[in-house]
Amino acid sequence: MRLSVLLLLLGLVLSGCGAVAGRPVAMPIGSTTAPTTTSTTTTTTTTPPVTTTTPTTKPPATRPARTSPTGFPTAATTGVIPGTKLTVVTGDQTFATDGQVIEGKDFRGFVRVTARNVTFRNCVFRGRVASGNAPLLDTERGTKTVVEDSEFVPSHPAATIDGLTTRSTTILRANIHGSVDGVKANSGTLIQDSYIHDMAWFASDPNQGGGPTHNDGVQSFAGESGITLRHNTIDLSGTKDANAALQSSARDTIVDNNLLDGGGCILNFDHKSLNGPLTGLQIVNNRFGPHSAFECPILLSTQSTISRNVGNVWADTGQPIPPPQVHD
């Protein structure tokens, strides 16, 4: 009887959470109003100025250093290194010069990268008030962006604010929390040695037709590929009604040596928005917490296949997790 009820509830959750209707439309930098899918009316508001920034690229002679954590990442081993002096930067920023190195900034606006080989070190990204979709950092138009030892926490949390939206980006030792999704990871994204946790739940989300937010630690869409999660802590066990630590329709996804917990199912792979099967999935040497709503470490849709599935165990006992659940 208990198994039947759990399967029925799981089917209901998956019908609302497993498939992604489409990508949220990002709010333009410098605008407090974004287009939505439910209205054709355009509202114009006074917007803050957008600054295209060319900071000094010469790094300081000395700076605090941090190596990769030996255990799984926590708040103590991620984010800005203690002792770093931060300079407040107010207003939206666009970094459009190749090779820029930005260090020790406290951004009080949304940040966008449009250049190649831009590096952020020891920065805090807070955003501002927004009524449309907006990540604190958007690297979709950049190439080979690197983020090191930085924190992402919105100063004005909202149902439309995520931590990062990325492409061709490496994220190292980041502390990401307080947004709806931690990272919307597009092709060529590596997240490593980072701590993604305590997402913000809202009862009404315009991206969910006015229903509650479907919070994910990391989310990847159909058409993307080459996403790697390596040695992170992604813990949504403290987030109300979280969807998944990872929700993905991206081919060639690697999930390697992470501590993962929370959501209906902790890892949720869904092919239904693809024109074909979801392949190239590798789930290797991960530790799974006990807090998925349906006792479900991994969920696969019927045309999603894992090419490598080894070394995945329960974090508390070290025993192997059960085989993935498979259904649409």
Side-chain angles (χ1 to χ4, degrees):
M1 179 66 179
R2 179 173 178 268
L3 178 59
S4 299
V5 172
L6 284 175
L7 291 174
L8 176 59
L9 290 173
L10 179 57
L12 291 172
V13 169
L14 291 172
S15 66
C17 298
V20 179
R23 300 170 184 266
V25 179
M27 180 179 63
I29 291 290
S31 171
T32 57
T33 303
T36 70
T37 58
T38 58
S39 175
T40 59
T41 302
T42 301
T43 302
T44 303
T45 61
T46 302
T47 61
V50 179
T51 303
T52 299
T53 309
T54 307
T56 301
T57 59
K58 182 180 179 181
T62 61
R63 63 171 180 263
R66 173 189 280 153
T67 58
S68 297
T70 54
F72 285 109
T74 67
T77 59
T78 58
V80 175
I81 297 174
T84 301
K85 182 179 179 180
L86 298 178
T87 301
V88 172
V89 179
T90 302
D92 296 341
Q93 307 292 317
T94 295
F95 293 92
T97 301
D98 293 350
Q100 291 176 268
V101 178
I102 301 97
E103 299 193 58
K105 306 299 182 186
D106 185 342
F107 291 108
R108 309 292 178 91
F110 298 116
V111 179
R112 174 175 291 171
V113 175
T114 60
R116 299 175 61 88
N117 300 311
V118 173
T119 298
F120 296 92
R121 293 192 185 112
N122 287 303
C123 294
V124 179
F125 297 81
R126 303 184 192 274
R128 55 171 171 80
V129 174
S131 59
N133 293 314
L136 303 178
L137 173 63
D138 182 350
T139 70
E140 275 200 283
R141 297 183 184 181
T143 304
K144 296 184 178 179
T145 306
V146 177
V147 180
E148 300 176 354
D149 301 303
S150 294
E151 183 173 11
F152 295 82
V153 53
S155 56
H156 301 277
T160 55
I161 295 181
D162 295 321
L164 302 87
T165 296
T166 62
R167 184 181 305 279
S168 183
T169 297
T170 296
I171 303 167
L172 303 174
R173 301 178 300 276
N175 185 357
I176 304 169
H177 56 109
S179 51
V180 171
D181 287 352
V183 184
K184 282 191 165 62
N186 296 311
S187 294
T189 294
L190 166 65
I191 307 172
Q192 182 171 315
D193 296 328
S194 294
Y195 183 32
I196 303 174
H197 61 106
D198 296 306
M199 300 291 101
W201 180 90
F202 294 88
S204 179
D205 180 353
N207 296 302
Q208 302 295 336
T213 50
H214 290 180
N215 301 85
D216 300 304
V218 179
Q219 182 176 22
S220 296
F221 293 95
E224 306 300 332
S225 64
I227 287 84
T228 300
L229 310 182
R230 179 171 291 123
H231 194 247
N232 304 288
T233 298
I234 307 178
D235 183 4
L236 270 69
S237 63
T239 301
K240 179 178 178 179
D241 296 335
N243 182 46
L246 170 65
Q247 170 77 48
S248 181
S249 297
R251 293 186 172 101
D252 301 322
T253 293
I254 298 172
V255 184
D256 176 21
N257 190 27
N258 300 277
L259 176 60
L260 307 164
D261 202 2
C265 292
I266 297 173
L267 302 180
N268 190 333
F269 297 98
D270 181 15
H271 78 279
K272 294 191 292 296
S273 53
L274 291 164
N275 293 320
L278 177 57
T279 58
L281 307 178
Q282 299 184 49
I283 316 299
V284 181
N285 296 330
N286 297 284
R287 305 293 184 266
F288 287 81
H291 299 106
S292 60
F294 300 102
E295 301 176 1
C296 170
I298 304 174
L299 174 63
L300 300 176
S301 64
T302 54
Q303 294 186 45
S304 298
T305 57
I306 300 178
S307 60
R308 191 168 177 230
N309 181 11
V310 295
N312 298 300
V313 299
W314 293 113
D316 54 354
T317 67
Q319 295 299 306
I321 62 171
Q325 298 186 27
V326 180
H327 52 81
D328 290 338

